[in-house]
Amino acid sequence: MRSEEEYRNALELIQIGINDSEIGRRLGIPRGTIRDWRVGQRAGSVGRTQFSSKKQEVTCFLCTNRWVDEESYAYLLGTYLGDGWIWDAPKQVYQLRISCDLRYPEIVNEIASHIVIVRGVERVGFALREGCVDVNAYWKHWPCVFPQHGPGRKHERRIELAPWQELMVTRQPRALIRGLIHSDGNRHINPITRRLPSGIRHYSYPRYMFKNASSDILTIFTNALDLLGVHWTNPYPRVISIARAHDVAFLDTFVGPKR
């Protein structure tokens, strides 16, 4: 099993165009492992234990009433609404794909682990593209699990939570918020310059921002914030900001900077 640091270092070298043999020589890792990471298989790689699941059923938890971890589902719902889509594969099998920035390997691992938990079987793929990786998994039941699936882009059609999703989000608003911010949000330092009678003052403060083209998804996000009593503003079209110090500190307890 390889460490998180080894995987990060390998991805950085892959991104700048170093070949597998040279990366393996520099890091002391077999060339085959580097190749697997490059093509997205990551056999025996970091986080492998995270991808295991005690439940090996492939049945849909909605169709069969099997147990599902609500926190994992709410997080995965957030990442799907932000950067995910479902592709209609042949033979009535669907592929869930969630696009992740390669700069944040911990988020890649977290999304993969939650897919395993929700789907109930250890089968997750990784498809590298320029600057990002698509975490993906095949399943006949993805449209059941994410009824928001439909033709066209999400911001061009109505996005509503099903009643059972609303109940789950009510119980797991933190996980949903975390998933949404990990997909289409960030925590950053906001610089401010003010002209005062005494002169120019420069200062900065941390804040969270979430941006999405769908007004429905923005509403889902703000409804979850309201459940937790987090104050938010809408400073620009398609943007939600959380800037009050105590609200930022609260989000830091379960979201934090992307990694």
Side-chain angles (χ1 to χ4, degrees):
M1 182 181 297
R2 296 294 172 178
S3 69
E4 182 81 25
E5 183 178 1
E6 287 176 314
Y7 177 57
R8 285 174 184 260
N9 292 339
L11 282 187
E12 289 176 0
L13 294 175
I14 287 171
Q15 285 184 275
I16 63 176
I18 307 299
N19 64 49
D20 296 346
S21 296
E22 179 61 17
I23 294 173
R25 187 188 66 78
R26 293 187 186 185
L27 302 180
I29 299 173
R31 183 174 63 87
T33 299
I34 302 298
R35 182 193 64 241
D36 289 339
W37 287 348
R38 183 187 294 277
V39 301
Q41 298 303 313
R42 301 199 338 165
S45 66
V46 56
R48 187 63 177 176
T49 56
Q50 296 179 21
F51 301 161
S52 63
S53 173
K54 293 181 179 179
K55 297 181 177 295
Q56 294 300 315
E57 308 99 300
V58 295
T59 54
C60 172
F61 63 86
L62 291 171
C63 297
T64 62
N65 292 321
R66 76 167 169 87
W67 175 88
V68 68
D69 186 289
E70 292 190 349
E71 184 176 358
S72 288
Y73 176 80
Y75 176 86
L76 197 61
L77 173 63
T79 58
Y80 163 72
L81 291 176
D83 281 327
W85 70 98
I86 295 172
W87 175 61
D88 296 359
K91 298 182 180 179
Q92 296 183 324
V93 177
Y94 299 86
Q95 185 187 49
L96 172 68
R97 297 179 75 94
I98 298 176
S99 184
C100 308
D101 194 315
L102 279 173
R103 293 175 297 173
Y104 310 121
E106 290 184 13
I107 292 178
V108 175
N109 275 349
E110 185 167 2
I111 290 173
S113 65
H114 289 305
I115 287 176
V116 165
I117 293 170
V118 171
R119 191 184 180 284
V121 61
E122 187 179 342
R123 293 179 183 173
V124 180
F126 303 84
L128 286 174
R129 296 187 287 126
E130 185 176 356
C132 68
V133 58
D134 292 338
V135 187
N136 61 82
Y138 288 92
W139 199 18
K140 291 184 177 181
H141 296 280
W142 285 127
C144 303
V145 174
F146 296 120
Q148 290 72 33
H149 169 59
R153 299 178 178 179
K154 289 195 284 286
H155 70 275
E156 296 175 344
R157 53 190 171 86
R158 185 71 173 165
I159 299 293
E160 294 180 307
L161 296 182
W164 63 268
Q165 289 177 306
E166 291 181 349
L167 287 173
M168 201 175 291
V169 166
T170 299
R171 294 190 287 263
Q172 299 292 340
R174 297 189 186 198
L176 177 73
I177 291 168
R178 180 177 172 84
L180 285 167
I181 291 176
H182 278 182
S183 59
D184 275 346
N186 65 76
R187 181 193 188 278
H188 66 277
I189 303 300
N190 188 42
I192 299 293
T193 300
R194 294 194 183 279
R195 295 183 179 275
L196 303 174
S198 57
I200 297 177
R201 181 189 175 195
H202 301 280
Y203 65 97
S204 61
Y205 64 91
R207 71 173 174 179
Y208 284 87
M209 296 192 75
F210 177 73
K211 183 176 181 179
N212 195 285
S214 168
S215 60
D216 293 332
I217 294 175
L218 291 177
T219 298
I220 290 171
F221 179 67
T222 56
N223 285 346
L225 293 175
D226 290 342
L227 286 171
L228 297 175
V230 175
H231 179 267
W232 54 270
T233 60
N234 184 203
Y236 313 108
R238 304 180 177 182
V239 173
I240 301 299
S241 171
I242 300 97
R244 289 184 177 179
H246 64 278
D247 291 319
V248 171
F250 176 61
L251 290 186
D252 282 345
T253 63
F254 61 93
V255 183
K258 290 183 175 183
R259 293 185 174 88

